[in-house]
Amino acid sequence: KQEVTQIPAALSVPEGENLVLNCSFTDSAIYNLQWFRQDPGKGLTSLLLIQSSQREQTSGRLNASLDKSSGRSTLYIAASQPGDSATYLCAVKGGSSNTGKLIFGQGTTLQVKP
Amino acid sequence: DVKVTQSSRYLVKRTGEKVFLECVQDMDHENMFWYRQDPGLGLRLIYFSYDVKMKEKGDIPEGYSVSREKKERFSLILESASTNQTSMYLCASSPPGFTEAFFGQGTRLTVV
């Protein structure tokens, strides 16, 4: 059974710092991995999607990497800002390629202090 | 932009009531999902649907049912609401294949 773990559960950094969030999964047979952002009391916003054949994806100050063989992904945030404060969730897609469900980690809650 | 819209942001219902949570997407996606999110437990899949009138159980279907009569709409039904169904409910949609999932803004349901 696929399990997804995110470490650390919470992280507090000063503004301007570069940081890395970690995501690990137990079964390497995934179709893709998606990083989301969730603000308190809100839904999930998709940040980056990495297909299983890809090594990384970039969007602005965000860079996500994927090492399928070792069951790991990282989300790198450059020059962090207070507006980046949120919970970051990773999810892997397994099962059927058409209907495969997402399995989520518990999330990392990030606080960026001004 | 893809839009997934949940009918209510906040709901308060009484124990034993029948509750309907509605979700509509505007991108003609085949797949739709209902999750619930609880502190310490994360997001757990309740039901999903890969086509009109098709549904499959997720990890925690007990106490819930779903309806998908039209492609754009996926309803979650709590047949007889109980206090342990107090939670944040999140709807998502995606096309088939290796594609992104898009989420609604969530419905915070409180059962009293």
Side-chain angles (χ1 to χ4, degrees):
Chain A
K1 180 185 172 185
Q2 177 76 270
E3 291 183 2
V4 181
T5 304
Q6 291 185 249
I7 294 173
L11 183 62
S12 181
V13 301
E15 182 177 4
E17 197 162 291
N18 301 325
L19 60 101
V20 174
L21 306 181
N22 296 296
C23 173
S24 61
F25 47 95
T26 55
D27 185 349
S28 62
I30 65 169
Y31 290 105
N32 60 41
L33 184 144
Q34 198 167 350
W35 282 94
F36 294 90
R37 169 186 172 135
Q38 186 176 31
D39 293 295
K42 302 284 181 64
L44 277 62
T45 300
S46 178
L47 297 174
L48 288 165
L49 172 73
I50 311 179
Q51 303 294 354
S52 61
S53 59
Q54 296 176 320
R55 296 284 293 182
E56 64 180 288
Q57 282 286 338
T58 298
S59 175
R61 294 183 294 109
L62 305 179
N63 176 277
S65 69
L66 175 64
D67 183 343
K68 210 173 77 157
S69 60
S70 68
R72 296 182 64 181
S73 175
T74 60
L75 180 66
Y76 174 83
I77 303 176
S80 58
Q81 302 170 359
D84 294 330
S85 298
T87 296
Y88 291 82
L89 295 151
C90 71
V92 298
K93 183 173 185 179
S96 156
S97 64
N98 276 340
T99 64
K101 60 184 184 182
L102 291 175
I103 300 169
F104 284 84
Q106 297 269 359
T108 294
T109 299
L110 172 66
Q111 182 185 32
V112 181
K113 297 178 180 176
Chain B
D1 277 354
V2 174
K3 194 144 188 186
V4 180
T5 303
Q6 296 183 226
S7 55
S8 304
R9 287 289 312 278
Y10 302 95
L11 274 179
V12 180
K13 296 292 182 181
R14 294 194 180 278
T15 302
E17 273 192 79
K18 190 169 186 175
V19 181
F20 294 85
L21 303 183
E22 307 285 347
C23 176
V24 176
Q25 50 95 1
D26 66 358
M27 284 302 291
D28 203 35
H29 287 170
E30 282 77 3
N31 300 329
M32 296 189 75
F33 306 82
W34 274 106
Y35 290 84
R36 66 177 281 177
Q37 184 179 30
D38 301 287
L41 296 175
L43 277 90
R44 294 177 291 166
L45 182 65
I46 305 171
Y47 266 97
F48 68 99
S49 168
Y50 52 89
D51 202 350
V52 175
K53 297 192 187 294
M54 306 302 287
K55 61 185 179 185
E56 286 199 21
K57 294 179 180 179
D59 300 317
I60 50 162
E62 296 78 20
Y64 303 94
S65 62
V66 291
S67 171
R68 193 161 181 206
E69 296 297 318
K70 293 185 178 181
K71 193 175 186 181
E72 67 270 19
R73 185 180 298 270
F74 191 35
S75 302
L76 180 69
I77 304 158
L78 286 67
E79 297 291 342
S80 177
S82 64
T83 54
N84 63 13
Q85 293 178 309
T86 291
S87 185
M88 169 71 99
Y89 290 87
L90 292 160
C91 174
S93 74
S94 73
F98 311 140
T99 51
E100 273 182 287
F102 297 90
F103 279 77
Q105 76 277 28
T107 296
R108 170 72 64 183
L109 173 67
T110 302
V111 182
V112 298

